[in-house]
Amino acid sequence: MIMRVLGEGQFEVAEGDLSRLNQLDDDLLQAVEAGDEAAFRAALGSLLAAVREVGTPLPPESLEPSDLILPDAEASLEQVRELLRDEGDGLIPGLPE
């Protein structure tokens, strides 16, 4: 799966890492729903750090289509709330049962 982090670039993430990323995405969703700015900042930072850790950066000149787009680390709680409204189930789609 190719994930784009706005302002940073694209990362190729293996399916085996999606479960961990989904848990971090759930933490972010809970923080946004609670309107907890501190928890939101921590959850967004953890999610983006995990994508950088498990993902393989694609070269900047690569024009691969992104499977999903994540906000940058400076995104506001309100900006992410809007993204979550559009996505419905968090930023990272749930894994099939």
Side-chain angles (χ1 to χ4, degrees):
M1 172 176 277
I2 296 177
M3 299 183 180
R4 174 177 298 283
V5 176
L6 292 175
E8 289 188 43
Q10 293 180 302
F11 297 84
E12 187 166 4
V13 176
E15 278 198 40
D17 293 313
L18 292 179
S19 180
R20 174 181 174 204
L21 296 178
N22 267 302
Q23 179 56 54
L24 294 169
D25 187 39
D26 289 345
D27 295 344
L28 178 63
L29 180 60
Q30 289 175 7
V32 169
E33 288 175 347
D36 184 334
E37 182 72 31
F40 162 74
R41 284 278 148 229
L44 180 58
S46 293
L47 176 59
L48 295 177
V51 169
R52 290 181 206 109
E53 177 187 324
V54 301
T56 302
L58 295 180
E61 65 275 2
S62 175
L63 296 175
E64 299 295 322
S66 299
D67 295 305
L68 62 96
I69 298 173
L70 299 173
D72 64 82
E74 301 304 314
S76 71
L77 192 145
E78 191 55 42
Q79 288 170 322
V80 174
R81 183 176 280 134
E82 285 299 316
L83 287 172
L84 290 169
R85 273 192 204 120
D86 293 343
E87 298 300 322
D89 184 22
L91 296 173
I92 300 174
L95 296 173
E97 299 290 320

PDB file of all heavy atoms in Angstrom, residues 34-76:
ATOM      1  N   ALA A  34     -12.945  13.249  20.888  1.00  0.00           N
ATOM      2  CA  ALA A  34     -12.971  13.845  22.228  1.00  0.00           C
ATOM      3  C   ALA A  34     -12.601  15.326  22.199  1.00  0.00           C
ATOM      4  O   ALA A  34     -12.797  16.037  23.188  1.00  0.00           O
ATOM      5  CB  ALA A  34     -12.012  13.085  23.148  1.00  0.00           C
ATOM      6  N   GLY A  35     -12.034  15.788  21.083  1.00  0.00           N
ATOM      7  CA  GLY A  35     -11.588  17.179  20.997  1.00  0.00           C
ATOM      8  C   GLY A  35     -10.396  17.460  21.894  1.00  0.00           C
ATOM      9  O   GLY A  35     -10.171  18.593  22.301  1.00  0.00           O
ATOM     10  N   ASP A  36      -9.625  16.428  22.177  1.00  0.00           N
ATOM     11  CA  ASP A  36      -8.484  16.529  23.087  1.00  0.00           C
ATOM     12  C   ASP A  36      -7.232  16.877  22.279  1.00  0.00           C
ATOM     13  O   ASP A  36      -6.633  16.009  21.638  1.00  0.00           O
ATOM     14  CB  ASP A  36      -8.315  15.198  23.817  1.00  0.00           C
ATOM     15  CG  ASP A  36      -7.221  15.208  24.859  1.00  0.00           C
ATOM     16  OD1 ASP A  36      -6.260  16.006  24.744  1.00  0.00           O
ATOM     17  OD2 ASP A  36      -7.317  14.386  25.794  1.00  0.00           O
ATOM     18  N   GLU A  37      -6.845  18.137  22.306  1.00  0.00           N
ATOM     19  CA  GLU A  37      -5.719  18.624  21.501  1.00  0.00           C
ATOM     20  C   GLU A  37      -4.414  17.899  21.827  1.00  0.00           C
ATOM     21  O   GLU A  37      -3.669  17.517  20.927  1.00  0.00           O
ATOM     22  CB  GLU A  37      -5.552  20.131  21.688  1.00  0.00           C
ATOM     23  CG  GLU A  37      -4.445  20.748  20.868  1.00  0.00           C
ATOM     24  CD  GLU A  37      -4.741  20.849  19.377  1.00  0.00           C
ATOM     25  OE1 GLU A  37      -5.907  21.008  18.998  1.00  0.00           O
ATOM     26  OE2 GLU A  37      -3.769  20.768  18.583  1.00  0.00           O
ATOM     27  N   ALA A  38      -4.122  17.702  23.116  1.00  0.00           N
ATOM     28  CA  ALA A  38      -2.867  17.045  23.506  1.00  0.00           C
ATOM     29  C   ALA A  38      -2.839  15.595  23.020  1.00  0.00           C
ATOM     30  O   ALA A  38      -1.835  15.131  22.465  1.00  0.00           O
ATOM     31  CB  ALA A  38      -2.671  17.114  25.016  1.00  0.00           C
ATOM     32  N   ALA A  39      -3.937  14.889  23.214  1.00  0.00           N
ATOM     33  CA  ALA A  39      -4.007  13.493  22.756  1.00  0.00           C
ATOM     34  C   ALA A  39      -3.964  13.423  21.229  1.00  0.00           C
ATOM     35  O   ALA A  39      -3.343  12.524  20.657  1.00  0.00           O
ATOM     36  CB  ALA A  39      -5.267  12.822  23.284  1.00  0.00           C
ATOM     37  N   PHE A  40      -4.599  14.394  20.581  1.00  0.00           N
ATOM     38  CA  PHE A  40      -4.583  14.463  19.121  1.00  0.00           C
ATOM     39  C   PHE A  40      -3.153  14.624  18.608  1.00  0.00           C
ATOM     40  O   PHE A  40      -2.722  13.906  17.714  1.00  0.00           O
ATOM     41  CB  PHE A  40      -5.468  15.625  18.645  1.00  0.00           C
ATOM     42  CG  PHE A  40      -5.197  16.046  17.226  1.00  0.00           C
ATOM     43  CD1 PHE A  40      -5.616  15.264  16.164  1.00  0.00           C
ATOM     44  CD2 PHE A  40      -4.522  17.227  16.955  1.00  0.00           C
ATOM     45  CE1 PHE A  40      -5.359  15.650  14.853  1.00  0.00           C
ATOM     46  CE2 PHE A  40      -4.262  17.619  15.659  1.00  0.00           C
ATOM     47  CZ  PHE A  40      -4.689  16.827  14.597  1.00  0.00           C
ATOM     48  N   ARG A  41      -2.413  15.578  19.165  1.00  0.00           N
ATOM     49  CA  ARG A  41      -1.021  15.817  18.726  1.00  0.00           C
ATOM     50  C   ARG A  41      -0.182  14.559  18.914  1.00  0.00           C
ATOM     51  O   ARG A  41       0.605  14.178  18.045  1.00  0.00           O
ATOM     52  CB  ARG A  41      -0.390  16.964  19.520  1.00  0.00           C
ATOM     53  CG  ARG A  41      -0.840  18.305  19.121  1.00  0.00           C
ATOM     54  CD  ARG A  41      -0.077  18.805  17.887  1.00  0.00           C
ATOM     55  NE  ARG A  41      -1.001  19.651  17.155  1.00  0.00           N
ATOM     56  CZ  ARG A  41      -1.247  19.576  15.868  1.00  0.00           C
ATOM     57  NH1 ARG A  41      -0.614  18.741  15.107  1.00  0.00           N
ATOM     58  NH2 ARG A  41      -2.120  20.352  15.295  1.00  0.00           N
ATOM     59  N   ALA A  42      -0.330  13.914  20.079  1.00  0.00           N
ATOM     60  CA  ALA A  42       0.439  12.700  20.368  1.00  0.00           C
ATOM     61  C   ALA A  42       0.059  11.579  19.400  1.00  0.00           C
ATOM     62  O   ALA A  42       0.934  10.881  18.863  1.00  0.00           O
ATOM     63  CB  ALA A  42       0.217  12.258  21.806  1.00  0.00           C
ATOM     64  N   ALA A  43      -1.238  11.404  19.147  1.00  0.00           N
ATOM     65  CA  ALA A  43      -1.701  10.317  18.281  1.00  0.00           C
ATOM     66  C   ALA A  43      -1.277  10.555  16.830  1.00  0.00           C
ATOM     67  O   ALA A  43      -0.833   9.621  16.148  1.00  0.00           O
ATOM     68  CB  ALA A  43      -3.222  10.174  18.382  1.00  0.00           C
ATOM     69  N   LEU A  44      -1.402  11.786  16.345  1.00  0.00           N
ATOM     70  CA  LEU A  44      -0.989  12.089  14.982  1.00  0.00           C
ATOM     71  C   LEU A  44       0.518  11.882  14.830  1.00  0.00           C
ATOM     72  O   LEU A  44       0.978  11.270  13.869  1.00  0.00           O
ATOM     73  CB  LEU A  44      -1.383  13.522  14.594  1.00  0.00           C
ATOM     74  CG  LEU A  44      -1.000  13.965  13.178  1.00  0.00           C
ATOM     75  CD1 LEU A  44      -1.612  13.050  12.117  1.00  0.00           C
ATOM     76  CD2 LEU A  44      -1.421  15.421  12.958  1.00  0.00           C
ATOM     77  N   GLY A  45       1.280  12.358  15.804  1.00  0.00           N
ATOM     78  CA  GLY A  45       2.733  12.166  15.775  1.00  0.00           C
ATOM     79  C   GLY A  45       3.113  10.698  15.769  1.00  0.00           C
ATOM     80  O   GLY A  45       4.002  10.277  15.016  1.00  0.00           O
ATOM     81  N   SER A  46       2.425   9.893  16.578  1.00  0.00           N
ATOM     82  CA  SER A  46       2.714   8.456  16.636  1.00  0.00           C
ATOM     83  C   SER A  46       2.377   7.763  15.326  1.00  0.00           C
ATOM     84  O   SER A  46       3.131   6.909  14.848  1.00  0.00           O
ATOM     85  CB  SER A  46       1.924   7.800  17.778  1.00  0.00           C
ATOM     86  OG  SER A  46       2.376   8.259  19.018  1.00  0.00           O
ATOM     87  N   LEU A  47       1.243   8.131  14.733  1.00  0.00           N
ATOM     88  CA  LEU A  47       0.848   7.522  13.463  1.00  0.00           C
ATOM     89  C   LEU A  47       1.854   7.854  12.357  1.00  0.00           C
ATOM     90  O   LEU A  47       2.318   6.968  11.639  1.00  0.00           O
ATOM     91  CB  LEU A  47      -0.555   7.993  13.068  1.00  0.00           C
ATOM     92  CG  LEU A  47      -1.075   7.514  11.710  1.00  0.00           C
ATOM     93  CD1 LEU A  47      -1.125   5.989  11.644  1.00  0.00           C
ATOM     94  CD2 LEU A  47      -2.434   8.118  11.418  1.00  0.00           C
ATOM     95  N   LEU A  48       2.209   9.113  12.246  1.00  0.00           N
ATOM     96  CA  LEU A  48       3.154   9.511  11.194  1.00  0.00           C
ATOM     97  C   LEU A  48       4.533   8.899  11.434  1.00  0.00           C
ATOM     98  O   LEU A  48       5.196   8.464  10.485  1.00  0.00           O
ATOM     99  CB  LEU A  48       3.241  11.035  11.107  1.00  0.00           C
ATOM    100  CG  LEU A  48       1.947  11.738  10.671  1.00  0.00           C
ATOM    101  CD1 LEU A  48       2.136  13.247  10.684  1.00  0.00           C
ATOM    102  CD2 LEU A  48       1.467  11.248   9.318  1.00  0.00           C
ATOM    103  N   ALA A  49       4.965   8.838  12.691  1.00  0.00           N
ATOM    104  CA  ALA A  49       6.263   8.221  13.005  1.00  0.00           C
ATOM    105  C   ALA A  49       6.258   6.742  12.626  1.00  0.00           C
ATOM    106  O   ALA A  49       7.250   6.222  12.091  1.00  0.00           O
ATOM    107  CB  ALA A  49       6.594   8.397  14.484  1.00  0.00           C
ATOM    108  N   ALA A  50       5.149   6.062  12.868  1.00  0.00           N
ATOM    109  CA  ALA A  50       5.062   4.641  12.540  1.00  0.00           C
ATOM    110  C   ALA A  50       5.091   4.430  11.025  1.00  0.00           C
ATOM    111  O   ALA A  50       5.734   3.494  10.540  1.00  0.00           O
ATOM    112  CB  ALA A  50       3.796   4.032  13.138  1.00  0.00           C
ATOM    113  N   VAL A  51       4.416   5.308  10.276  1.00  0.00           N
ATOM    114  CA  VAL A  51       4.457   5.198   8.811  1.00  0.00           C
ATOM    115  C   VAL A  51       5.887   5.374   8.323  1.00  0.00           C
ATOM    116  O   VAL A  51       6.366   4.617   7.474  1.00  0.00           O
ATOM    117  CB  VAL A  51       3.506   6.225   8.146  1.00  0.00           C
ATOM    118  CG1 VAL A  51       3.744   6.304   6.637  1.00  0.00           C
ATOM    119  CG2 VAL A  51       2.051   5.877   8.444  1.00  0.00           C
ATOM    120  N   ARG A  52       6.587   6.352   8.882  1.00  0.00           N
ATOM    121  CA  ARG A  52       7.994   6.569   8.482  1.00  0.00           C
ATOM    122  C   ARG A  52       8.871   5.380   8.861  1.00  0.00           C
ATOM    123  O   ARG A  52       9.812   5.027   8.151  1.00  0.00           O
ATOM    124  CB  ARG A  52       8.534   7.833   9.146  1.00  0.00           C
ATOM    125  CG  ARG A  52       7.933   9.102   8.617  1.00  0.00           C
ATOM    126  CD  ARG A  52       8.560  10.324   9.315  1.00  0.00           C
ATOM    127  NE  ARG A  52       7.650  11.434   9.296  1.00  0.00           N
ATOM    128  CZ  ARG A  52       7.009  11.925  10.348  1.00  0.00           C
ATOM    129  NH1 ARG A  52       7.192  11.408  11.540  1.00  0.00           N
ATOM    130  NH2 ARG A  52       6.201  12.952  10.216  1.00  0.00           N
ATOM    131  N   GLU A  53       8.575   4.773  10.009  1.00  0.00           N
ATOM    132  CA  GLU A  53       9.384   3.660  10.516  1.00  0.00           C
ATOM    133  C   GLU A  53       9.197   2.393   9.691  1.00  0.00           C
ATOM    134  O   GLU A  53      10.175   1.734   9.320  1.00  0.00           O
ATOM    135  CB  GLU A  53       9.000   3.373  11.971  1.00  0.00           C
ATOM    136  CG  GLU A  53       9.707   2.191  12.585  1.00  0.00           C
ATOM    137  CD  GLU A  53       9.160   1.852  13.960  1.00  0.00           C
ATOM    138  OE1 GLU A  53       8.790   2.770  14.716  1.00  0.00           O
ATOM    139  OE2 GLU A  53       9.085   0.651  14.258  1.00  0.00           O
ATOM    140  N   VAL A  54       7.945   2.038   9.398  1.00  0.00           N
ATOM    141  CA  VAL A  54       7.691   0.769   8.710  1.00  0.00           C
ATOM    142  C   VAL A  54       7.650   0.926   7.192  1.00  0.00           C
ATOM    143  O   VAL A  54       7.809  -0.052   6.465  1.00  0.00           O
ATOM    144  CB  VAL A  54       6.378   0.102   9.195  1.00  0.00           C
ATOM    145  CG1 VAL A  54       6.437  -0.171  10.686  1.00  0.00           C
ATOM    146  CG2 VAL A  54       5.151   0.898   8.814  1.00  0.00           C
ATOM    147  N   GLY A  55       7.443   2.153   6.728  1.00  0.00           N
ATOM    148  CA  GLY A  55       7.334   2.376   5.292  1.00  0.00           C
ATOM    149  C   GLY A  55       8.683   2.591   4.634  1.00  0.00           C
ATOM    150  O   GLY A  55       9.637   3.039   5.259  1.00  0.00           O
ATOM    151  N   THR A  56       8.732   2.264   3.369  1.00  0.00           N
ATOM    152  CA  THR A  56       9.914   2.514   2.550  1.00  0.00           C
ATOM    153  C   THR A  56       9.648   3.761   1.722  1.00  0.00           C
ATOM    154  O   THR A  56       8.694   3.779   0.931  1.00  0.00           O
ATOM    155  CB  THR A  56      10.180   1.321   1.610  1.00  0.00           C
ATOM    156  OG1 THR A  56      10.342   0.143   2.399  1.00  0.00           O
ATOM    157  CG2 THR A  56      11.412   1.566   0.756  1.00  0.00           C
ATOM    158  N   PRO A  57      10.439   4.821   1.922  1.00  0.00           N
ATOM    159  CA  PRO A  57      10.194   6.048   1.151  1.00  0.00           C
ATOM    160  C   PRO A  57      10.374   5.800  -0.345  1.00  0.00           C
ATOM    161  O   PRO A  57      11.305   5.120  -0.758  1.00  0.00           O
ATOM    162  CB  PRO A  57      11.256   7.017   1.660  1.00  0.00           C
ATOM    163  CG  PRO A  57      11.798   6.437   2.915  1.00  0.00           C
ATOM    164  CD  PRO A  57      11.574   4.953   2.829  1.00  0.00           C
ATOM    165  N   LEU A  58       9.449   6.341  -1.118  1.00  0.00           N
ATOM    166  CA  LEU A  58       9.581   6.280  -2.573  1.00  0.00           C
ATOM    167  C   LEU A  58      10.352   7.512  -3.026  1.00  0.00           C
ATOM    168  O   LEU A  58      10.277   8.573  -2.397  1.00  0.00           O
ATOM    169  CB  LEU A  58       8.201   6.249  -3.229  1.00  0.00           C
ATOM    170  CG  LEU A  58       7.343   5.015  -2.929  1.00  0.00           C
ATOM    171  CD1 LEU A  58       5.997   5.120  -3.633  1.00  0.00           C
ATOM    172  CD2 LEU A  58       8.051   3.741  -3.345  1.00  0.00           C
ATOM    173  N   PRO A  59      11.104   7.394  -4.109  1.00  0.00           N
ATOM    174  CA  PRO A  59      11.862   8.546  -4.592  1.00  0.00           C
ATOM    175  C   PRO A  59      10.920   9.708  -4.935  1.00  0.00           C
ATOM    176  O   PRO A  59       9.811   9.472  -5.422  1.00  0.00           O
ATOM    177  CB  PRO A  59      12.564   8.037  -5.852  1.00  0.00           C
ATOM    178  CG  PRO A  59      12.358   6.568  -5.898  1.00  0.00           C
ATOM    179  CD  PRO A  59      11.270   6.213  -4.956  1.00  0.00           C
ATOM    180  N   PRO A  60      11.346  10.938  -4.688  1.00  0.00           N
ATOM    181  CA  PRO A  60      10.490  12.100  -4.963  1.00  0.00           C
ATOM    182  C   PRO A  60      10.008  12.160  -6.415  1.00  0.00           C
ATOM    183  O   PRO A  60       8.918  12.645  -6.684  1.00  0.00           O
ATOM    184  CB  PRO A  60      11.378  13.299  -4.643  1.00  0.00           C
ATOM    185  CG  PRO A  60      12.442  12.773  -3.755  1.00  0.00           C
ATOM    186  CD  PRO A  60      12.626  11.328  -4.113  1.00  0.00           C
ATOM    187  N   GLU A  61      10.815  11.657  -7.339  1.00  0.00           N
ATOM    188  CA  GLU A  61      10.413  11.710  -8.747  1.00  0.00           C
ATOM    189  C   GLU A  61       9.413  10.614  -9.128  1.00  0.00           C
ATOM    190  O   GLU A  61       8.867  10.606 -10.227  1.00  0.00           O
ATOM    191  CB  GLU A  61      11.643  11.647  -9.666  1.00  0.00           C
ATOM    192  CG  GLU A  61      12.422  10.358  -9.606  1.00  0.00           C
ATOM    193  CD  GLU A  61      13.455  10.296  -8.475  1.00  0.00           C
ATOM    194  OE1 GLU A  61      13.565  11.244  -7.670  1.00  0.00           O
ATOM    195  OE2 GLU A  61      14.147   9.280  -8.394  1.00  0.00           O
ATOM    196  N   SER A  62       9.152   9.680  -8.207  1.00  0.00           N
ATOM    197  CA  SER A  62       8.184   8.614  -8.456  1.00  0.00           C
ATOM    198  C   SER A  62       6.772   9.204  -8.501  1.00  0.00           C
ATOM    199  O   SER A  62       6.408  10.032  -7.674  1.00  0.00           O
ATOM    200  CB  SER A  62       8.275   7.573  -7.337  1.00  0.00           C
ATOM    201  OG  SER A  62       7.271   6.603  -7.488  1.00  0.00           O
ATOM    202  N   LEU A  63       5.990   8.760  -9.461  1.00  0.00           N
ATOM    203  CA  LEU A  63       4.627   9.272  -9.618  1.00  0.00           C
ATOM    204  C   LEU A  63       3.599   8.167  -9.393  1.00  0.00           C
ATOM    205  O   LEU A  63       2.635   8.044 -10.132  1.00  0.00           O
ATOM    206  CB  LEU A  63       4.453   9.899 -11.003  1.00  0.00           C
ATOM    207  CG  LEU A  63       5.314  11.115 -11.280  1.00  0.00           C
ATOM    208  CD1 LEU A  63       5.148  11.575 -12.716  1.00  0.00           C
ATOM    209  CD2 LEU A  63       4.980  12.238 -10.322  1.00  0.00           C
ATOM    210  N   GLU A  64       3.821   7.362  -8.379  1.00  0.00           N
ATOM    211  CA  GLU A  64       2.900   6.279  -8.055  1.00  0.00           C
ATOM    212  C   GLU A  64       1.608   6.854  -7.479  1.00  0.00           C
ATOM    213  O   GLU A  64       1.646   7.799  -6.689  1.00  0.00           O
ATOM    214  CB  GLU A  64       3.525   5.344  -7.017  1.00  0.00           C
ATOM    215  CG  GLU A  64       4.802   4.678  -7.455  1.00  0.00           C
ATOM    216  CD  GLU A  64       4.594   3.730  -8.614  1.00  0.00           C
ATOM    217  OE1 GLU A  64       3.568   3.032  -8.665  1.00  0.00           O
ATOM    218  OE2 GLU A  64       5.465   3.694  -9.495  1.00  0.00           O
ATOM    219  N   PRO A  65       0.449   6.284  -7.836  1.00  0.00           N
ATOM    220  CA  PRO A  65      -0.793   6.740  -7.211  1.00  0.00           C
ATOM    221  C   PRO A  65      -0.807   6.317  -5.738  1.00  0.00           C
ATOM    222  O   PRO A  65      -0.393   5.212  -5.400  1.00  0.00           O
ATOM    223  CB  PRO A  65      -1.889   6.046  -8.012  1.00  0.00           C
ATOM    224  CG  PRO A  65      -1.220   4.905  -8.698  1.00  0.00           C
ATOM    225  CD  PRO A  65       0.233   5.253  -8.839  1.00  0.00           C
ATOM    226  N   SER A  66      -1.264   7.214  -4.880  1.00  0.00           N
ATOM    227  CA  SER A  66      -1.329   6.922  -3.447  1.00  0.00           C
ATOM    228  C   SER A  66      -2.632   6.202  -3.134  1.00  0.00           C
ATOM    229  O   SER A  66      -3.692   6.591  -3.623  1.00  0.00           O
ATOM    230  CB  SER A  66      -1.256   8.212  -2.637  1.00  0.00           C
ATOM    231  OG  SER A  66      -0.044   8.877  -2.874  1.00  0.00           O
ATOM    232  N   ASP A  67      -2.532   5.154  -2.303  1.00  0.00           N
ATOM    233  CA  ASP A  67      -3.733   4.453  -1.857  1.00  0.00           C
ATOM    234  C   ASP A  67      -4.471   5.265  -0.802  1.00  0.00           C
ATOM    235  O   ASP A  67      -5.686   5.162  -0.675  1.00  0.00           O
ATOM    236  CB  ASP A  67      -3.371   3.073  -1.305  1.00  0.00           C
ATOM    237  CG  ASP A  67      -2.801   2.169  -2.386  1.00  0.00           C
ATOM    238  OD1 ASP A  67      -3.488   1.987  -3.417  1.00  0.00           O
ATOM    239  OD2 ASP A  67      -1.676   1.671  -2.219  1.00  0.00           O
ATOM    240  N   LEU A  68      -3.726   6.034  -0.025  1.00  0.00           N
ATOM    241  CA  LEU A  68      -4.343   6.944   0.929  1.00  0.00           C
ATOM    242  C   LEU A  68      -3.400   8.083   1.255  1.00  0.00           C
ATOM    243  O   LEU A  68      -2.200   7.988   1.053  1.00  0.00           O
ATOM    244  CB  LEU A  68      -4.813   6.226   2.199  1.00  0.00           C
ATOM    245  CG  LEU A  68      -3.792   5.533   3.060  1.00  0.00           C
ATOM    246  CD1 LEU A  68      -3.363   6.453   4.182  1.00  0.00           C
ATOM    247  CD2 LEU A  68      -4.407   4.297   3.652  1.00  0.00           C
ATOM    248  N   ILE A  69      -3.999   9.153   1.727  1.00  0.00           N
ATOM    249  CA  ILE A  69      -3.243  10.375   2.015  1.00  0.00           C
ATOM    250  C   ILE A  69      -3.433  10.723   3.488  1.00  0.00           C
ATOM    251  O   ILE A  69      -4.557  10.762   3.987  1.00  0.00           O
ATOM    252  CB  ILE A  69      -3.715  11.527   1.118  1.00  0.00           C
ATOM    253  CG1 ILE A  69      -3.457  11.157  -0.345  1.00  0.00           C
ATOM    254  CG2 ILE A  69      -2.998  12.826   1.479  1.00  0.00           C
ATOM    255  CD1 ILE A  69      -4.011  12.127  -1.353  1.00  0.00           C
ATOM    256  N   LEU A  70      -2.312  10.941   4.165  1.00  0.00           N
ATOM    257  CA  LEU A  70      -2.326  11.313   5.576  1.00  0.00           C
ATOM    258  C   LEU A  70      -1.959  12.784   5.712  1.00  0.00           C
ATOM    259  O   LEU A  70      -1.162  13.304   4.933  1.00  0.00           O
ATOM    260  CB  LEU A  70      -1.325  10.462   6.360  1.00  0.00           C
ATOM    261  CG  LEU A  70      -1.591   8.954   6.346  1.00  0.00           C
ATOM    262  CD1 LEU A  70      -0.444   8.216   7.020  1.00  0.00           C
ATOM    263  CD2 LEU A  70      -2.900   8.639   7.017  1.00  0.00           C
ATOM    264  N   PRO A  71      -2.511  13.451   6.718  1.00  0.00           N
ATOM    265  CA  PRO A  71      -2.170  14.860   6.928  1.00  0.00           C
ATOM    266  C   PRO A  71      -0.734  15.010   7.408  1.00  0.00           C
ATOM    267  O   PRO A  71      -0.124  14.051   7.898  1.00  0.00           O
ATOM    268  CB  PRO A  71      -3.150  15.303   8.019  1.00  0.00           C
ATOM    269  CG  PRO A  71      -3.476  14.051   8.761  1.00  0.00           C
ATOM    270  CD  PRO A  71      -3.425  12.944   7.739  1.00  0.00           C
ATOM    271  N   ASP A  72      -0.207  16.212   7.265  1.00  0.00           N
ATOM    272  CA  ASP A  72       1.137  16.469   7.784  1.00  0.00           C
ATOM    273  C   ASP A  72       1.070  16.672   9.297  1.00  0.00           C
ATOM    274  O   ASP A  72      -0.011  16.807   9.873  1.00  0.00           O
ATOM    275  CB  ASP A  72       1.758  17.691   7.088  1.00  0.00           C
ATOM    276  CG  ASP A  72       0.989  18.957   7.370  1.00  0.00           C
ATOM    277  OD1 ASP A  72       1.205  19.553   8.443  1.00  0.00           O
ATOM    278  OD2 ASP A  72       0.151  19.354   6.521  1.00  0.00           O
ATOM    279  N   ALA A  73       2.228  16.687   9.923  1.00  0.00           N
ATOM    280  CA  ALA A  73       2.318  16.785  11.381  1.00  0.00           C
ATOM    281  C   ALA A  73       1.767  18.104  11.918  1.00  0.00           C
ATOM    282  O   ALA A  73       1.416  18.186  13.091  1.00  0.00           O
ATOM    283  CB  ALA A  73       3.767  16.597  11.826  1.00  0.00           C
ATOM    284  N   GLU A  74       1.682  19.121  11.073  1.00  0.00           N
ATOM    285  CA  GLU A  74       1.193  20.430  11.510  1.00  0.00           C
ATOM    286  C   GLU A  74      -0.302  20.611  11.309  1.00  0.00           C
ATOM    287  O   GLU A  74      -0.847  21.675  11.606  1.00  0.00           O
ATOM    288  CB  GLU A  74       1.949  21.539  10.764  1.00  0.00           C
ATOM    289  CG  GLU A  74       3.454  21.502  10.983  1.00  0.00           C
ATOM    290  CD  GLU A  74       3.841  21.560  12.460  1.00  0.00           C
ATOM    291  OE1 GLU A  74       3.281  22.393  13.197  1.00  0.00           O
ATOM    292  OE2 GLU A  74       4.688  20.755  12.870  1.00  0.00           O
ATOM    293  N   ALA A  75      -0.996  19.585  10.811  1.00  0.00           N
ATOM    294  CA  ALA A  75      -2.436  19.689  10.579  1.00  0.00           C
ATOM    295  C   ALA A  75      -3.157  19.983  11.887  1.00  0.00           C
ATOM    296  O   ALA A  75      -2.759  19.508  12.955  1.00  0.00           O
ATOM    297  CB  ALA A  75      -2.959  18.387   9.970  1.00  0.00           C
ATOM    298  N   SER A  76      -4.201  20.758  11.785  1.00  0.00           N
ATOM    299  CA  SER A  76      -4.984  21.095  12.975  1.00  0.00           C
ATOM    300  C   SER A  76      -5.988  19.990  13.276  1.00  0.00           C
ATOM    301  O   SER A  76      -6.329  19.182  12.405  1.00  0.00           O
ATOM    302  CB  SER A  76      -5.725  22.413  12.773  1.00  0.00           C
ATOM    303  OG  SER A  76      -6.783  22.243  11.843  1.00  0.00           O
TER     304      SER A  76
END
